[in-house]
Amino acid sequence: MNVSAWGRLSATPHRVVPLFDRASSAATLRAESGGVALGMGRSYGDTALNSGGLLWSTRGLDRLIDFDADTGRLVCEAGVQLRDIQRLFVPRGWMLAASPGTQIVTVGGAIANDVHGKNHHAVGSFGDHVTRLVLLRTDGELIECGPEQRSDWFAATVGGIGLTGVILLAEVQLRRVPGPWLDTESIPYGTLDEFFDLSNRSEADWEYTVSWIDCLSGSVGREPSGRTKARGLFMRGNHAMATESPPLRDSTRRVPFTPPVPLVNKLSLRAFNTAYYWLGCWRAGASQQHYQSFFYPLDNLHEWNRIYGPRGFYQYQCVIPGPGPDSSSAIQAMLREIGRAGKGSFLAVLKKFGDRQPVGLLSFPRPGVTLALDFANSGADLERLFERLDAIVAETGGRLYLAKDARMPRALFESGYARHAEFRAFRDPGITSEMSRRLMGD
Ligand SMILES: Cc1cc2nc3c(=O)[nH]c(=O)nc-3n(C[C@H](O)[C@H](O)[C@H](O)COP(=O)(O)OP(=O)(O)OC[C@H]3O[C@@H](n4cnc5c(N)ncnc54)[C@H](O)[C@@H]3O)c2cc1C
């Protein structure tokens, strides 16, 4: 069947073989190797692609196995979706400690990309809350590992983009929550200094912080103070002890078809960003939000990835090491390049990561600031912009996020992921993906 990643750059033939349980998974992997695990396919690039080859779909590994209501330890198979965990456990006063901007991802996919959420500065990434996992190798060996047990295998598998084996099962530590609601605040900002100031001042008292940034605003010049303009909306939130809460509206919609050309272009982008910013200024202030709309706003619009048209899109997500003036000036330089090119999209996020060291050898988060934004695929001119952005990232010692990537040069992977050579020793020789061949040569 034809499979494409979330970026829809191309749909290529794959043989998709479902996995169901431990015994049959072992038999399947032993019978034929040369594949890679596929969860919900929410990665944007080629990390879960293997054109012309084999994918092991983990969606059938969907059982919850054990839950300790005193400690919040959940044991489940790796194909369980984060959405199901949240739905089942939030009413019982427990929630995933870290989760990404969509809950339509599997536990295995969340571990293999060591995903992060809006509270990275407070709790780290998904892997920080995994206490044990069971890994199946293509030769049939089962490796049980965790932060305290065979921790070298754990560090390789968390963020290991599926290349160390297939994760069959995981034990995840949930955190207590008073309910599904959050007290939130939205604050407009006009410069990067204001963004950094808001981030720094919010870190101690707000568990969740993130900002929408107008990706074209960095090109419009400087304020009289000399600071670069970069307008956006800073959002922060904490779990609410709500007794009475507004009703949750079900506002799910679907993009009904793929338009022949991208709906995002220079004109629509400028108009949308201006309207969104001023609407945000008008609505700024405190409000109470349900966790689903605060954490996963895009999950309400099914197949939104169609808006970029038939050629698909890229997401460029980098982390610039920090803190320090260099990280601010690197973000400024990137915004100027993006503004000059008149590209990008309204889906643009700027967030400061916390100081924790990453759990995995190839984990993406590190102390610094991350910028993420989508670009409709426009071919060679877009690649030229990416090369200019890559040069800025490389100069700061930063890196691109593997979950989003479909094109980074191998040299940038090797400079950004300093432990890539160490990782090699843990690779399963029977596993290969489009990304592994592109970035690691096999
Ligand atoms: C709207 C949207 C918002 C997002 N927001 C964020 C965000 O805020 N933060 C963030 O970090 N990410 C974010 N992401 C990225 C997403 O969280 C990750 O790509 C996630 O890993 C996808 O999980 P999946 O189940 O779809 O896995 P896939 O995309 O199917 O696979 C991802 C990787 O995991 C491997 N894998 C999957 N299952 C297993 C298994 N059982 N054993 C071993 N390897 C396995 C695959 O081989 C592949 O390398 C977002 C994605 C979308 C679409």
Side-chain angles (χ1 to χ4, degrees):
M1 68 190 275
N2 282 341
V3 178
S4 61
W6 190 248
R8 302 178 78 249
L9 290 166
S10 61
T12 49
H14 287 78
R15 211 149 46 72
V16 181
V17 176
L19 304 181
F20 294 109
D21 55 32
R22 189 179 286 203
S24 67
S25 299
T28 304
L29 264 66
R30 259 203 314 265
E32 191 184 4
S33 60
V36 72
L38 169 69
M40 293 305 291
R42 257 32 184 203
S43 298
Y44 286 60
D46 55 3
T47 173
L49 291 181
N50 193 15
S51 286
L54 181 61
L55 294 175
W56 297 300
S57 169
T58 63
R59 292 185 194 186
L61 296 166
D62 60 355
R63 278 156 289 240
L64 300 177
I65 292 167
D66 191 23
F67 180 64
D68 184 329
D70 293 327
T71 63
R73 288 264 165 110
L74 169 70
V75 181
C76 66
E77 290 184 335
V80 170
Q81 288 183 42
L82 305 193
R83 177 173 53 182
D84 296 327
I85 296 177
Q86 303 288 50
R87 267 195 200 147
L88 196 63
F89 290 99
V90 171
R92 292 167 171 77
W94 295 96
M95 184 182 260
L96 287 160
S99 75
T102 172
Q103 54 183 339
I104 309 173
V105 307
T106 60
V107 167
I111 296 172
N113 274 323
D114 192 15
V115 299
H116 59 271
K118 297 176 173 66
N119 57 353
H120 180 270
H121 63 278
V123 306
S125 54
F126 198 88
D128 280 296
H129 307 277
V130 177
T131 44
R132 184 169 64 92
L133 57 84
V134 175
L135 186 69
L136 172 66
R137 306 271 288 175
T138 53
D139 62 4
E141 189 191 359
L142 283 172
I143 297 178
E144 196 168 323
C145 58
E148 313 287 340
Q149 178 191 8
R150 304 190 78 177
S151 56
D152 50 348
W153 280 97
F154 185 71
T157 301
V158 172
I161 52 170
L163 300 178
T164 62
V166 173
I167 303 161
L168 293 179
L169 181 135
E171 183 180 76
V172 183
Q173 177 66 55
L174 305 187
R175 49 85 48 88
R176 281 203 186 274
V177 285
W181 296 93
L182 291 112
D183 289 324
T184 70
E185 276 184 23
S186 166
I187 307 164
Y189 62 86
T191 66
L192 280 181
D193 297 87
E194 277 175 45
F195 161 78
F196 280 107
D197 191 43
L198 274 166
S199 293
N200 293 337
R201 283 193 288 116
S202 304
E203 268 170 17
D205 297 330
W206 295 86
E207 175 169 349
Y208 302 95
T209 64
V210 71
S211 88
W212 169 80
I213 184 161
D214 175 351
C215 68
L216 297 183
S217 65
S219 64
V220 294
R222 289 174 179 274
E223 293 217 305
S225 61
R227 297 182 302 183
T228 302
K229 286 184 184 171
R231 68 183 173 188
L233 302 167
F234 187 85
M235 284 151 272
R236 54 194 189 185
N238 276 328
H239 289 281
M241 301 292 296
T243 44
E244 280 183 36
S245 301
L248 175 64
R249 283 190 302 271
D250 182 8
S251 53
T252 308
R253 300 268 185 283
R254 174 179 297 277
V255 176
F257 61 91
T258 305
V261 290
L263 298 182
V264 185
N265 56 47
K266 202 170 177 172
L267 277 181
S268 67
L269 180 58
R270 211 171 275 288
F272 180 93
N273 280 3
T274 302
Y276 189 76
Y277 176 74
W278 289 110
L279 189 69
C281 291
W282 182 59
R283 286 189 177 159
S287 66
Q288 205 161 66
Q289 287 191 53
H290 194 270
Y291 78 89
Q292 289 191 22
S293 54
F294 184 67
F295 293 156
Y296 316 115
L298 288 170
D299 285 355
N300 278 336
L301 185 60
H302 293 310
E303 299 188 73
W304 62 261
N305 53 348
R306 289 174 161 184
I307 64 170
Y308 295 101
R311 295 178 74 187
F313 70 107
Y314 292 88
Q315 183 169 109
Y316 193 92
Q317 180 166 7
C318 62
V319 55
I320 304 292
D326 287 355
S327 50
S328 176
S329 49
I331 296 290
Q332 279 176 18
M334 295 177 84
L335 290 175
R336 248 178 264 129
E337 290 291 353
I338 293 164
R340 243 182 248 142
K343 294 188 182 294
S345 91
F346 30 82
L347 293 172
V349 170
L350 188 63
K351 153 132 192 93
K352 232 184 116 214
F353 280 144
D355 291 337
R356 285 177 183 242
Q357 289 309 312
V359 191
L361 300 181
L362 299 184
S363 287
F364 169 69
R366 57 173 294 174
V369 60
T370 179
L371 173 69
L373 73 164
D374 294 350
F375 293 90
N377 177 17
S378 60
D381 60 332
L382 181 61
E383 182 52 30
R384 283 195 290 277
L385 171 63
F386 284 156
E387 284 166 9
R388 294 197 292 278
L389 300 182
D390 287 351
I392 298 169
V393 174
E395 198 171 318
T396 63
R399 58 185 170 225
L400 303 191
Y401 190 8
L402 298 174
K404 310 291 178 70
D405 181 58
R407 42 76 43 203
M408 101 168 91
R410 189 166 169 177
L412 183 57
F413 167 68
E414 291 181 354
S415 67
Y417 289 87
R419 302 181 76 181
H420 70 92
E422 214 179 310
F423 175 76
R424 280 208 82 84
F426 298 92
R427 276 198 60 180
D428 185 321
I431 293 185
T432 177
S433 69
E434 223 139 295
M435 176 170 273
S436 74
R437 294 191 290 278
R438 181 166 61 84
L439 296 178
M440 301 173 192
D442 57 354

